[in-house]
Amino acid sequence: MYFLFWTLVLVVGIYFLYQNRDQKEDWLVLKLVGYYFLGSFHFNLNGLVLPLGFAVSLFLKPRENRAVKRGAAIFGLVMMIIGLILR
């Protein structure tokens, strides 16, 4: 049940980000999922958690739907932080 709830949160979050897009773009849903996973990627160094994926996403400069893709990376970062707190 726990897994189902967080999967539903992920799907609803990606859906709302998709609905807030500025322009029509091919494969945008998959790109948003990729930005989400990039934002949630972290590196654990002796208990120190470094959000490495989010740092990488700051250097990416997409041409279309920039704010939505940045929002997906931030959403991934927030979900990573929630996951670390609940662990």
Side-chain angles (χ1 to χ4, degrees):
M1 194 67 176
Y2 181 74
F3 176 75
L4 183 64
F5 172 74
W6 289 112
T7 304
L8 184 65
V9 169
L10 170 64
V11 169
V12 169
I14 295 294
Y15 175 77
F16 281 128
L17 286 167
Y18 181 78
Q19 291 299 320
N20 290 329
R21 68 188 184 276
D22 298 331
Q23 307 161 350
K24 184 176 170 128
E25 183 177 347
D26 292 335
W27 303 100
L28 181 60
V29 172
L30 292 177
K31 291 176 185 179
L32 291 178
V33 170
Y35 271 89
Y36 167 81
F37 283 125
L38 187 62
S40 65
F41 179 75
H42 65 279
F43 185 71
N44 193 349
L45 184 65
N46 292 332
L48 177 65
V49 178
L50 303 172
L52 191 61
F54 182 73
V56 169
S57 75
L58 294 176
F59 292 105
L60 298 177
K61 302 293 182 202
R63 284 181 251 153
E64 298 175 338
N65 296 312
R66 192 174 286 187
V68 174
K69 291 174 183 174
R70 181 65 45 93
I74 292 171
F75 180 55
L77 178 68
V78 169
M79 293 297 284
M80 178 203 68
I81 292 170
I82 290 172
L84 291 172
I85 290 171
L86 294 178
R87 197 185 321 168

